[in-house]
DNA sequence: ATAACTGTAACAGTAAAAGTTACATGTTAA
DNA sequence: TTAACATGTAACTTTTACTGTTACAGTTAT
């Protein structure tokens, strides 16, 4: 599975945004992240929908923060991005009636869910200004 | 990226193997897992290299356990399979000189490493006979 | 008007995992 | 000793999630 880099990228963007007193364009971020402006709009669109940033059209337009970084947690961003699965481990479901498969899945799922909850808890305790001032 | 189902599959296989007093063929497992015999051999080959199973050729051949399940932990299997990364989260490295990227990566990596260590610890505490008798 | 923005649909590219084919090699039963 | 049944493995194709690209409609400042 190809790894998901949206979280990492959007954090990078947000901290840069925080340091700017004027809008920054998708093209500028694309250049910064060595990717494409459409990719940036795709990610940032999710944050806009969640209320963390605003976009303005036209000349001198671009992206601005809509909340102070100390009011945004890593968990907020993770959730705004759609909470893609954290783990790279698949549970099989070829034979849902097979008691062994069920048992294997239950055991793996127990561990993964427990750990996922821990990740989310840790994410919630990290505010973006902590990253910005790191 | 497609998720890795090797761990789930191989656990299923091992518990079935444990219940059998004679070798089981790759074709039988492939049928069980709704996949291909070569896929099974690929996975099982890694376990054989690690000493957890034995394979025998020819008629009446197939796979047998080489260790009791209560002597094998989830961690053992995870490691025998090559310890593929648990997380689906990528850290970017376009601009290794950018202090913001560094800061973002450090923060994410701290959390992920801490949690990965916890997963491995939990895996080490789960023996396969626990799954078998679940 | 036009240049500079975003929004988004509709594709193509990439890479990891899984699936498939083909064939060499080893083993056992009759 | 031969035929059937196993594994071993290389080489290739398919699948899938993510990312990248192109194209164009809509919006805004000058």
């Amino acid at each position: 599975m190809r790894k998901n880099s949206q979280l990492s990228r959007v954090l990078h963007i947000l901290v840069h945004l925080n340091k700017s007193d004027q809008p920054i364009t998708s093209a500028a971020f694309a250049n910064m992240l060595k990717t494409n402006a459409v990719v940036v709009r795709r990610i940032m669109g999710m944050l806009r929908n969640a209320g963390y940033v605003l976009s303005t059209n036209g000349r001198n337009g671009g992206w601005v923060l809509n909340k102070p970084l100390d009011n945004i947690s890593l968990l907020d961003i993770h959730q705004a991005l759609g909470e893609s699965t954290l783990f790279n481990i698949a549970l099989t479901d070829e034979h849902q009636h097979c008691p062994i498969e069920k048992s294997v899945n239950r055991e793996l799922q127990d561990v993964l869910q427990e750990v996922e909850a821990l990740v989310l808890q840790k994410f919630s305790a990290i505010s973006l200004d902590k990253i910005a001032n790191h």
Side-chain angles (χ1 to χ4, degrees), chain A residues 61-122:
Chain A
W63 300 93
V64 292
L65 270 180
N66 192 33
K67 264 196 177 183
L69 286 194
D70 59 4
N71 267 353
I72 308 176
S73 71
L74 208 47
L75 180 61
D76 292 330
I77 302 303
H78 174 67
Q79 291 178 331
L81 292 178
E83 306 197 66
S84 63
T85 331
L86 290 175
F87 293 103
N88 192 26
I89 293 181
L91 302 187
T92 58
D93 58 346
E94 296 94 12
H95 288 177
Q96 283 144 342
H97 59 282
C98 171
I100 293 179
E101 182 180 68
K102 276 186 188 170
S103 184
V104 167
N105 281 345
R106 200 179 314 131
E107 201 68 36
L108 282 179
Q109 205 155 32
D110 279 359
V111 176
L112 296 183
Q113 280 181 352
E114 193 175 342
V115 171
E116 175 141 357
L118 184 72
V119 176
L120 300 187
Q121 177 198 309
K122 286 184 177 296

Side-chain angles (χ1 to χ4, degrees), chain A residues 5-17 29 32-33 40 43-47 53 74 77-78 81 128:
Chain A
S5 62
Q6 291 188 345
L7 183 59
S8 175
R9 283 173 156 181
V10 85
L11 291 176
H12 195 165
I13 287 177
L14 288 172
V15 176
H16 271 285
L17 259 190
F29 284 132
M32 186 178 87
L33 298 173
V40 173
I43 304 174
M44 295 299 281
M46 293 189 277
L47 293 198
V53 294
L74 208 47
I77 302 303
H78 174 67
L81 292 178
L128 298 201

Side-chain angles (χ1 to χ4, degrees), chain A residues 18-50:
Chain A
N18 187 54
K19 296 200 168 182
S20 173
D21 53 357
Q22 49 189 336
I24 303 181
T25 67
S26 301
F29 284 132
N31 188 55
M32 186 178 87
L33 298 173
K34 290 183 180 156
T35 178
N36 192 286
V38 176
V39 173
V40 173
R41 291 193 192 110
R42 212 135 63 185
I43 304 174
M44 295 299 281
M46 293 189 277
L47 293 198
R48 187 192 52 231
N49 294 340

